[in-house]
């Protein structure tokens, strides 16, 4: 299993976005996480397709689109065309989850499904054969800089057990409130893709990425 850091650009300084992304890439962050918010599924609005499209040629990183939008099936094709490598949709946001996941698959993009803190892991089981990645939210989606919810750790363990039992090839991504000083317990619980926003995009982007990579590197 590969252990990966996915910096979330939601917390970046957009006046120096290219430079900050480079800082994460040079320190070994393999993914770049895009938090797309529509003001409906979550209270906030962030950014969308043109931002992902303009970053695509600027980095070799895997572009990981986390769609916090209602009925994402309406937009997955545009995100794929813009250059997304992974598209993650929320279980709670889809009226037809299977059709949404299948549409992403048909676009030859990696398929992710996410659950909010109050949605149980059992709600995912029917969809596991269709996905490459599950994203367990460790904060209520909508904003960066929130406190990590300890209740996500049990969900990560539960999901890792189900994945091992069925021998699925599914990555577990965790997102929200992850810092250098709590990332180990997330990894120990069974996650292998770590999203970090405010803990990476601060005054020292490269230095913060490096600190995460030193810890994550021990798990390879
Ligand atoms: C929350 C987003 C997260 C967030 C992470 O809705 O999905 O990706 O940007 O930010 P931090 O790491 O600051 O909690
Ligand atoms: Zn996210």
């Amino acid at each position: 299993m590969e252990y990966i850091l996915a910096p979330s650009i939601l917390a970046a300084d957009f006046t120096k976005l290219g430079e900050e992304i480079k800082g994460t890439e040079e320190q070994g962050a393999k993914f770049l996480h895009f938090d797309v918010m529509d003001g409906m599924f979550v209270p906030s609005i962030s950014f969308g397709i043109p931002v992902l499209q303009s970053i695509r040629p600027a980095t070799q990183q895997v572009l990981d689109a986390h769609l916090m939008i209602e009925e994402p099936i309406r937009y997955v094709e545009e995100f794929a065309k813009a250059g997304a490598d992974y598209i993650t949709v929320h279980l709670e946001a889809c009226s037809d989850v299977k059709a949404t996941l299948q549409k992403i698959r048909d676009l030859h993009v990696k398929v992710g499904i996410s659950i909010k803190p109050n949605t149980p892991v059992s709600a995912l089981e029917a969809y596991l054969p269709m996905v490459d990645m599950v994203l367990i939210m460790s904060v209520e989606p909508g904003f960066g800089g929130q406190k990590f919810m300890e209740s996500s750790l049990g969900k990560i363990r539960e999901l890792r057990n189900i994945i091992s039992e069925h021998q699925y090839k599914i990555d577990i991504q965790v997102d929200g409130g992850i810092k250098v000083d709590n990332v180990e317990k997330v990894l120990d619980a069974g996650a292998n893709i770590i999203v970090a926003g405010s803990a990476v995009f601060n005054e020292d982007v490269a230095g913060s990425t490096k600190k995460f990579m030193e810890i994550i590197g021990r798990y390879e």
Side-chain angles (χ1 to χ4, degrees):
M1 189 161 50
E2 201 180 355
Y3 290 86
I4 293 166
L5 180 66
S8 163
I9 63 162
L10 186 62
D13 177 345
F14 292 112
T15 65
K16 1 178 210 180
L17 186 55
E19 201 183 300
E20 295 199 344
I21 290 171
K22 266 271 154 306
T24 70
E25 186 173 22
E26 283 169 5
Q27 295 301 326
K30 287 215 174 127
F31 278 37
L32 197 63
H33 185 84
F34 288 74
D35 286 308
V36 180
M37 303 178 183
D38 67 350
M40 295 291 287
F41 181 68
V42 291
S44 193
I45 295 176
S46 58
F47 48 73
I49 294 148
V51 173
L52 192 138
Q53 193 172 7
S54 77
I55 291 170
R56 176 66 290 175
T59 178
Q60 305 283 317
Q61 285 162 305
V62 171
L63 302 189
D64 164 33
H66 174 196
L67 304 187
M68 286 164 274
I69 65 181
E70 285 293 346
E71 298 298 353
I73 195 166
R74 297 174 295 151
Y75 292 104
V76 292
E77 189 165 356
E78 283 183 71
F79 276 97
K81 280 194 185 138
D85 298 299
Y86 277 72
I87 297 179
T88 299
V89 296
H90 270 268
L91 173 76
E92 306 88 352
C94 303
S95 54
D96 188 339
V97 179
K98 285 192 174 162
T100 309
L101 301 176
Q102 190 58 48
K103 184 155 185 185
I104 301 172
R105 177 70 67 206
D106 291 343
L107 291 160
H108 306 290
V109 172
K110 297 276 190 192
V111 183
I113 189 166
S114 182
I115 51 172
K116 300 203 283 183
N118 291 331
T119 305
V121 168
S122 58
L124 286 170
E125 289 207 47
Y127 309 111
L128 293 178
M130 298 183 71
V131 304
D132 300 295
M133 181 170 82
V134 173
L135 167 52
I136 303 272
M137 288 305 299
S138 44
V139 296
E140 278 303 331
F143 302 95
Q146 303 182 76
K147 193 177 176 301
F148 179 81
M149 294 169 74
E150 299 287 327
S151 56
S152 64
L153 294 171
K155 292 171 75 178
I156 300 166
R157 280 192 286 268
E158 184 185 349
L159 178 61
R160 181 53 72 197
N161 286 335
I162 296 170
I163 290 173
S164 309
E165 233 171 74
H166 291 83
Q167 297 180 305
Y168 291 133
K169 287 188 68 135
I170 299 176
D171 292 304
I172 302 181
Q173 184 177 58
V174 182
D175 182 7
I178 303 181
K179 315 277 172 209
V180 166
D181 61 13
N182 65 10
V183 65
E184 276 179 285
K185 59 185 178 189
V186 181
L187 293 161
D188 289 341
N192 68 301
I193 304 183
I194 299 295
V195 178
S198 48
V200 164
F201 290 99
N202 49 38
E203 320 68 55
D204 182 11
V205 176
S208 304
T209 307
K210 189 166 180 227
K211 282 188 197 150
F212 270 106
M213 291 307 299
E214 278 165 8
I215 300 168
I216 292 172
R218 286 188 226 132
Y219 286 76
E220 319 253 7

